[in-house]
């Protein structure tokens, strides 16, 4: 078994005292560009430079992440020139306001979304989510050969897809979806039935070749104070489809003895949804514990001793002093390593405001405290 995979499987087993996996959530391109002006070398791999573990998982990502898994995608084209800014139609059919010549490193402003009603749903989106579209499977043999080779090395098989709320939000918009679940509930159920049919069909093809270890839903359903829709709406519009999808996945596993871990990736204050998702869909893994919103991986680890967790390292503290970095990691890493089932990562993308020297110090402390 690959060394990195051995460590990661000890994490899934929640092995108390096991060495912590050395991973990172996301290093933003503009952060890397800034670090190169501060002395970051070009000729050293990130794995070596930041003392990260070698690859330990194989990711299957054919079903969208922050947007619907569309095939074909929308044509990206200019909608409006606004001088220093421009409105562009993106691959998900949204109209997005960007600075000219800069489309990353900031939160985009979405001017419009493709779905308003049943007519726009059928004309713009529904046909793009047909699970039988041949283009979806054009490279399937090559991708599954790579997955089987990774599985032969013991790498974790990680199936990911856009979560139900993130998907609906990408179709209607973050404010509009809150009206739509009240005003157009039948349409929302049809959207979710289509989401389920596509996910179930594509994952079934993957399961002909490999056994899955993890199902991760990219589901930014929480914000600064908790969930963006009510628990009753979550139960009505999301959970029935999640439950059927997970049941089907478990039934189709080539190795039925393998545990399928259910992972929720949500920003914001996640505490209120943890018991909801644990009870309804068997959630046993959550990330990335955004500290600015009140999430606390140490507190949650004590409350739920069997919950797998990653994240919880405050990106804002990494931008301050090494003394403050030390205090943060010394509070979190030793007790959660003793507990098991934790991977320290930054609580979202590491911003350019974090000095390169500070980030190296943080990574070195992860090595010292993580074993």
């Amino acid at each position: 078994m690959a060394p990195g995979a051995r460590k990661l499987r000890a994490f899934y087993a929640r092995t108390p005292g096991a060495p912590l996996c050395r991973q990172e959530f996301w290093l933003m391109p503009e952060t890397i560009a800034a670090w190169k002006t501060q002395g970051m070398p070009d000729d050293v791999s990130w794995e070596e430079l930041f003392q990260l573990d070698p690859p330990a998982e194989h990711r299957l990502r054919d079903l969208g992440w922050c947007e619907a898994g569309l095939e074909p995608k929308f044509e990206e084209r200019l909608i409006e020139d606004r001088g220093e800014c421009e409105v562009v139609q993106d691959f998900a059919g949204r109209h997005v306001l960007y600075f000219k010549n800069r489309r990353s490193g900031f939160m985009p402003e979405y001017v419009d979304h493709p779905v308003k009603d049943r007519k726009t749903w059928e004309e713009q989106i529904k046909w793009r989510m047909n699970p039988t579209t041949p283009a979806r499977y054009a490279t399937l043999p090559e991708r599954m050969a790579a997955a089987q080779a990774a599985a032969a090395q013991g790498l974790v098989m990680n199936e990911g897809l856009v979560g139900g709320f993130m998907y609906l939000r990408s179709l209607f918009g973050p404010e509009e979806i809150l009206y739509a679940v009240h005003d157009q509930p039948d349409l929302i159920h049809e959207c979710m039935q289509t989401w389920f049919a596509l996910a179930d069909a594509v994952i079934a093809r993957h399961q002909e070749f490999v056994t899955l270890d993890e199902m991760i839903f990219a589901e930014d359903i929480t914000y600064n104070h908790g969930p963006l829709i009510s628990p009753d709406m979550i139960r009505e519009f999301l959970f029935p489809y999640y439950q059927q999808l997970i049941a089907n996945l478990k039934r189709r596993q080539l190795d039925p003895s393998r545990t399928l871990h259910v992972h929720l990736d949500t920003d914001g204050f996640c505490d209120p949804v943890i018991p909801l998702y644990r009870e309804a869909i068997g959630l046993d893994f959550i990330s990335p514990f955004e500290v600015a919103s009140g999430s606390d991986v140490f507190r949650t680890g004590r409350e739920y001793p069997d919950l797998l967790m990653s994240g919880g390292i405050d990106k804002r503290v990494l931008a301050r002093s090494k003394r403050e970095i030390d205090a943060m990691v010394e509070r979190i890493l030793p007790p959660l390593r003793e507990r098991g089932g934790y991977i320290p990562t930054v609580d979202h993308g590491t911003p350019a405001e974090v000095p390169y020297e500070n980030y190296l110090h943080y990574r070195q402390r992860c090595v010292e405290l993580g074993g």
Side-chain angles (χ1 to χ4, degrees), residues 23-26 57 59 61 64-67 158-167 169 214-223 228 238 242 261-271 273-274 277 281 283-290 295 307-312 345-349:
Q23 299 182 356
E24 192 48 275
F25 184 88
W26 178 34
E57 62 182 356
R59 296 182 174 182
R61 295 284 191 273
W65 190 248
C66 295
E67 301 81 17
N158 179 309
E159 181 79 60
L161 79 160
V162 62
F165 183 75
M166 184 95 88
Y167 153 75
R169 191 176 70 182
E214 180 182 323
M215 180 77 247
I216 176 170
F217 296 96
E219 182 73 301
D220 283 351
I221 200 166
T222 54
Y223 197 55
L228 290 163
L238 303 184
Y242 281 30
H261 296 284
V262 180
H263 182 176
L264 187 75
D265 177 324
T266 181
D267 299 332
F269 181 54
C270 63
D271 289 33
V273 301
I274 293 174
Y277 279 78
I281 65 170
L283 173 74
D284 65 349
F285 187 176
I286 192 165
S287 65
F289 288 89
E290 189 176 10
S295 296
L307 183 67
L308 299 168
M309 305 179 298
S310 67
T345 72
V346 177
D347 60 353
H348 208 278

Side-chain angles (χ1 to χ4, degrees), residues 212-327:
L212 302 178
D213 295 294
E214 180 182 323
M215 180 77 247
I216 176 170
F217 296 96
E219 182 73 301
D220 283 351
I221 200 166
T222 54
Y223 197 55
N224 285 345
H225 301 292
L228 290 163
I229 60 173
S230 72
D232 285 346
M233 289 180 176
I234 294 172
R235 293 186 184 99
E236 177 180 352
F237 294 106
L238 303 184
F239 284 165
Y241 306 99
Y242 281 30
Q243 289 165 345
Q244 188 61 60
L245 182 65
I246 292 168
N248 289 1
L249 264 61
K250 290 181 176 179
R251 175 178 52 80
R252 288 193 300 253
Q253 290 277 56
L254 292 176
D255 179 358
S257 67
R258 189 88 62 86
T259 298
L260 178 70
H261 296 284
V262 180
H263 182 176
L264 187 75
D265 177 324
T266 181
D267 299 332
F269 181 54
C270 63
D271 289 33
V273 301
I274 293 174
L276 274 176
Y277 279 78
R278 279 168 65 87
E279 178 183 356
I281 65 170
L283 173 74
D284 65 349
F285 187 176
I286 192 165
S287 65
F289 288 89
E290 189 176 10
V291 183
S293 295
S295 296
D296 185 335
V297 71
F298 177 76
R299 180 183 67 229
T300 300
R302 288 190 302 180
E303 185 174 359
Y304 300 100
D306 61 339
L307 183 67
L308 299 168
M309 305 179 298
S310 67
I313 300 298
D314 192 342
K315 65 180 81 66
R316 300 168 302 170
V317 173
L318 296 185
R320 297 174 191 164
S321 68
K322 293 179 181 178
R323 178 183 57 81
E324 290 171 285
I325 294 171
D326 288 344

Side-chain angles (χ1 to χ4, degrees), residues 8 16-17 28 36-37 43 51 66 73 94 140 143 157 181 191 225 237 259 269 271 274 280 318 324 335 341-342 347:
L8 187 56
M28 302 165 71
K36 287 183 178 180
T37 70
D43 57 349
Q51 304 185 75
C66 295
K73 295 177 172 56
R94 301 166 298 194
L140 185 70
R143 289 186 289 112
M157 291 293 109
V181 293
C191 292
H225 301 292
F237 294 106
T259 298
F269 181 54
D271 289 33
I274 293 174
L318 296 185
E324 290 171 285
Y342 172 64
D347 60 353

Side-chain angles (χ1 to χ4, degrees), residues 7 17-24 46-54 313 325-326 329-330 333-334 337 342-345 358-371:
K7 286 180 68 176
L20 297 176
C21 294
R22 301 176 187 174
Q23 299 182 356
E24 192 48 275
W46 290 7
E47 188 177 300
E48 180 181 352
L49 192 61
F50 302 133
Q51 304 185 75
L52 302 174
D53 288 334
I313 300 298
I325 294 171
D326 288 344
V329 296
E330 288 167 7
L333 268 62
R337 179 184 176 189
Y342 172 64
I343 299 175
T345 72
N358 278 20
Y359 187 77
L360 286 179
H361 178 77
Y362 153 66
R363 291 304 325 168
Q364 179 59 33
R365 293 311 317 274
C366 285
V367 171
E368 293 168 357
L369 296 171

